[in-house]
Amino acid sequence: MADTDTIAAIASAPGAAGIGVVRVSGPRVPAIAQALLGRPPRPRHAHLAAFHADDGALIDRGLLLHFPAPHSYTGEHVLELQGHGSAVLLDLLLRRVCALGARLARPGEFTERAFLNGKMDLAQAEAVADLVAARSEAGARAALRSLDGVFSRRVHALLDALVALRVHVEAAIDFPDEEIDFLADPAIAARLDALRAQLAGLLAEARRGVRLTDGLKVAIVGRPNAGKSSLLNALAQSERAIVTPVAGTTRDVLRETVSLDGVVLELADTAGLRHTEDEIEREGVRRARGELTRADLALLVTEAADAQADLALLDGLPASVARLVLVNKIDLDGAAPRQEQHAGVPWLWASARTGAGLDALRERLRHLAGAGSGEGAFSARRRHVLALERVQAHLAHAAAALASTRAGELAAEDLRQAQHALGEITGSYTSDDLLGAIFGSFCIGK
Ligand code: GDP
Ligand code: ZN
């Protein structure tokens, strides 16, 4: 640790506030603390101190706290200086700390050190950023659970089971005479099946965790004039989208972020999907298609007479995209709102104009966004889901290799790669690029 820099940053939000905090971490902290206090600080004790500049001028009076290594956020010596929440004073205090031997911290560098010193794994470190950035209550609660290790423990349990199975398969390979018998053992297939079931559960929860963190991405599609913009407006309760009776006006993708009782929806109103010779409109249609394949939910807005024909707009979507049909304008024929299920797709009858049936839609959207998803819901990132999907593919390969050809070597290699992919989530296998990308997106002082 002796060759580690001591880093410092203003850890509180910029601007005037009741208090502001300068945080320092690294081996020079004890010396810096003593210089500021005039004597060695007591561990984890709040000292009232007068902070002086290099020339002896008083900067501020505030609290000084020393958390000795390794019992601190970063695992290093940490110093927290709490002063008045003035940008000018905090800047002077930060400069004083740097004059005493610290350097300015990069974004996320405190948490990066916590990770590198084994205070938390990578998924927990990411949860720190997600907690700070949370835009909804459900998102914040989920991030806190991931920070507490709820997600990481699930990954570790999977890793343990995977490693045990690997040991078994590799042992079989080492005894070629008995390999076939070994690998034909139904217990091995059963363990692999159990592992795949466990993974499927975790993957589903991780996907929900991404929606809780990032918000539910909803692509609203439908032919021009179906009422997409009106619906977006009704959901957003604003006039942001242009509502007009002229077909084909919404050519670009309009976006709106909507908070619905503690969850976040990222709504995108796409251009009407239809075949067209108009260049600009064709571009809009192309974008709408892209929007759809990236969405969590494709929401088809249609009218009763067009509904069956418009279903084709939902054709060919990836399995990861949920689908919902909204039969709009029921006020025109005086129908009552209702819900049905057709071929696994929920249908809702509603009116964007009168608002009838929209409560049922909101409730479904909230549910899809992960609301009320139980006490255990944790936050996750796309990166985690992609890694889990790779694990899933490798386990499927391994199962096929064992079942069809008893190809122990192939199975072992897939299990090895599955383990590697799981390790990327917790950070036991990472590249500097990945760490740079993750911690570089943190705010300064975190
Ligand atoms: P978009 O092209 O799909 O975005 O459709 P708009 O939201 O621009 O709506 C097209 C027309 O249908 C406008 O005149 C809206 O006022 C009207 N409209 C939208 N929703 C309803 C509804 O529920 N009932 C009735 N009667 N008209 C609606
Ligand atoms: Zn529109």
Side-chain angles (χ1 to χ4, degrees), residues 17-32:
I19 61 164
V21 177
V22 170
R23 181 144 71 161
V24 196
S25 179
R28 292 198 177 151
V29 155
I32 294 172

Side-chain angles (χ1 to χ4, degrees), residues 99-130:
L100 289 169
R103 70 158 168 82
L104 296 179
R106 294 189 304 268
E109 201 171 4
F110 290 93
T111 306
E112 183 173 16
R113 288 187 176 193
F115 164 66
L116 293 173
N117 290 325
K119 283 280 162 179
M120 54 179 75
D121 69 21
L122 198 52
Q124 288 174 294
E126 290 170 298
V128 171
D130 293 336

